[in-house]
Structures are given as structure tokens and as C-alpha cells.
Amino acid sequence: MDFYLGLLQIIGVHTLLGLSAYVVLLTGQVSMAQAGFYAIGAYVAAMCTAMFGLHILPAIIVAGLVTAAIACVVGFPALRVKGLMLVVATLAFGEMVRLFFFNFSWQVERGGELIGPNSAEGFRAIRFFPENGWEIWHVTGFIWIVVAVVMGALWWIDNTRAGAVLRAVGHDETAAQSIGLNLTAVKVGAMTLGGLVAGMGGGIYAHTVTHIEHAVFGVLLATFAIAYPILGGLGSVFGTLIAVIFIQGFLVEGLRFLGDWRSLLFGALIVLAMNFRPTGLLGERMPRLFKRRGPDKLELKEAE
């Protein structure tokens, strides 16, 4: 049972990572910075609990807010470029964050031992859950409550005017600008929201593994982040969740018995999935009960 609860924890934190990229992808931008935001959230939340004694909930909120602020600052220069150049710029940011934590060292003494990030050795002893008597099912439940809240919030945004604005920019920037939308504000806002979600996900991740180091937050993690919403489809937040379950639950864990052949089959199945469902597992559109018509009106729409 512990194995399956642990797998649910992995799926939960990776869902938050994928949702952080989902928001940015709605505006038509491909960002490889999500691993960097995830790392910032992980280290900030770990410092809040392990070094300063905060509870896990305010710790991940602080981590999310700090990461959102950094994402906002990064968003202005990064989103001046498009396409491949944006991918390179955000990838460079992610690597810069990873190398920063590779060299970052700051420790304080708590309980007779030094606690905190120690450059290449990483950040050890992030023991909030075991020290406070949390069982594995408590942790799993907490993670999925956060995931449910985040998914619910993003689903609500997606079905409001804000979601329509994000999708309008993603579908046609010229047309969106012609009707008065501020492209920079929309893109930076999406990047900021994505940073918030990634920071919270990273904060939770750090406490589930209890030891983090810079190598975890590399290009592979950034690739997973954008693969989830692309594979699941941008029609709904639920596409990202299904893609995470498919990749982490089936491809990564379900094929573990194949040993070294797993990686080969992993890539082949991803290619097949994208060929048979090029718009994602759930497609670009999801049946909705309500469809927006005009700036302030909603009309009932039958499921398509």
C-alpha cells in the first residue's frame, strides 16, 4: 500500500508541475523555465520549515509567492522573444537556477546539527512530515487537496473571461492585439501564475523526498513539465492530469519490469500517442456547459 500511496504522491506533485506549464502554453508560449521555478519553490519551502520552523502550509504559500515574483520579473525580458528563442532563453534561466543552487550554501544550527542547503551536497534533513507525526496517507491526502484546489482554480479561470483572453492570445496574437488586449500583460501574467503553481509543487516535492539537490531540476524535468499538457491536450486541466497518470503511472512505473528496455518503449509509446492523438489525449477542446458570448454574457451550450 505504501508503494501505491507513494506513486500517488509523485503523480500529485508532477500534476502541479504540468499545470504550471499548461497556463503558459495557453498563451502559445513554450517555456522551459518550469524546472527552475520548481527548484526555487523546493528550496524556499524547505528553508521555511527546516531552518525557520514554519508549518508546511504557509511554507508552500511563501514558496509559491516568491517563485511567482521571480517568474514575473523573468517574464518581461523572456517574453520579448518567441518560438525557439523563447525556448532557449527559458532553458538558460532554468540552468542558471540549477547552477545557482549547485553553489548556494547557507546553513543554521538547529537541534545540534547544521540544517540548510550545502551547495553540491544539496539540502538534507527536510523532515517536517516525519517530525510532526504525518503518516504516508496524511501526506498523500494533503498533496491531493492542494492539487484539487489548484485544478479547481485553474478550471474556474479557464471558464471566465481571463481564460478566454489567454486562449485568444495563444490562437492569434495579431487578432488579440487588434481588439485591445495587452499581449505583454497577458503573457507575463500567465508566466507569473505558472511560477506560483510550480513553486507550490516544488515546495511539496521537497518535503516528500526530504533531500533535494540541483541535479534533479535539470532539462529532463523541464521537458516533462511541457510534455504533460501537450500530451494531455490544452482543452482542459484534466488533460494534464491524465497525461501525468499515463506517463508516471504506466510508462515510468508500470514498465519498470522491463529494465533497460523501458526507456526505448517509453519513447515509442509517446511517439505513438502523439501520432494517434496529435492534439493530445483529450484534444484541444473539452465539452463545456457554458460558452462565453461577448464580454459579459454566458450562454448554455450542449456538450459536443
Side-chain angles (χ1 to χ4, degrees):
M1 179 59 75
D2 285 354
F3 168 79
Y4 293 108
L5 290 175
L7 180 58
L8 283 175
Q9 292 179 13
I10 293 172
I11 291 173
V13 293
H14 275 258
T15 298
L16 292 174
L17 177 65
L19 289 173
S20 73
Y22 167 83
V23 179
V24 181
L25 283 168
L26 287 181
T27 64
Q29 310 301 308
V30 179
S31 169
M32 296 289 284
Q34 306 313 116
F37 298 147
Y38 197 69
I40 294 170
Y43 275 87
V44 170
M47 286 188 286
C48 286
T49 59
M51 298 172 66
F52 304 117
L54 283 184
H55 188 274
I56 182 65
L57 187 57
I60 63 172
I61 292 175
V62 169
L65 292 176
V66 170
T67 309
I70 294 174
C72 182
V73 173
V74 170
F76 279 100
L79 294 176
R80 291 181 180 274
V81 295
K82 301 178 181 179
L84 184 59
M85 291 304 296
L86 177 62
V87 173
V88 173
T90 51
L91 181 61
F93 167 78
E95 284 299 288
M96 181 181 71
V97 170
R98 186 180 67 81
L99 292 175
F100 170 80
F101 287 119
F102 174 72
N103 294 281
F104 180 61
S105 181
W106 179 30
Q107 295 183 301
V108 298
E109 186 174 347
R110 285 179 62 90
E113 63 177 329
L114 292 176
I115 301 295
N118 188 21
S119 60
E121 293 185 10
F123 194 148
R124 301 177 184 274
I126 309 170
R127 298 189 291 254
F128 176 85
F129 291 140
E131 286 180 351
N132 288 274
W134 288 46
E135 300 290 341
I136 187 170
W137 64 272
H138 292 141
V139 178
T140 306
F142 173 74
I143 291 173
W144 279 97
I145 288 173
V146 175
V147 171
V149 170
V150 171
M151 287 186 67
L154 293 181
W155 180 86
W156 176 79
I157 291 173
D158 208 8
N159 285 275
T160 62
R161 182 181 178 83
V165 168
L166 292 174
R167 292 183 182 277
V169 172
H171 282 299
D172 193 327
E173 288 189 8
T174 304
Q177 193 170 27
S178 70
I179 61 173
L181 294 180
N182 186 326
L183 299 185
T184 301
V186 173
K187 291 179 180 179
V188 172
M191 182 74 81
T192 302
L193 182 56
L196 173 68
V197 177
M200 294 176 65
I204 295 174
Y205 166 77
H207 289 83
T208 59
V209 296
T210 71
H211 172 218
I212 53 176
E213 56 183 17
H214 73 285
V216 175
F217 308 102
V219 178
L220 180 61
L221 186 66
T223 305
F224 270 120
I226 61 171
Y228 295 139
I230 291 175
L231 179 62
L234 298 178
S236 167
V237 294
F238 299 105
T240 300
L241 174 60
I242 290 175
V244 174
I245 293 173
F246 175 67
I247 291 177
Q248 292 295 330
F250 175 64
L251 296 185
V252 174
E253 294 298 335
L255 301 180
R256 190 175 294 277
F257 68 93
L258 294 177
D260 293 338
W261 288 96
R262 180 182 57 166
S263 298
L264 178 62
L265 188 57
F266 178 96
L269 288 174
I270 291 290
V271 171
L272 284 174
M274 294 308 297
N275 272 276
F276 283 104
R277 298 289 297 177
T279 59
L281 297 177
L282 291 188
E284 293 182 349
R285 294 184 179 182
M286 281 286 288
R288 296 182 182 179
L289 294 177
F290 293 94
K291 178 183 178 183
R292 181 169 293 279
R293 182 179 62 182
D296 298 304
K297 295 181 180 180
L298 292 172
E299 72 170 334
L300 188 64
K301 179 186 178 183
E302 296 182 358
E304 296 176 351

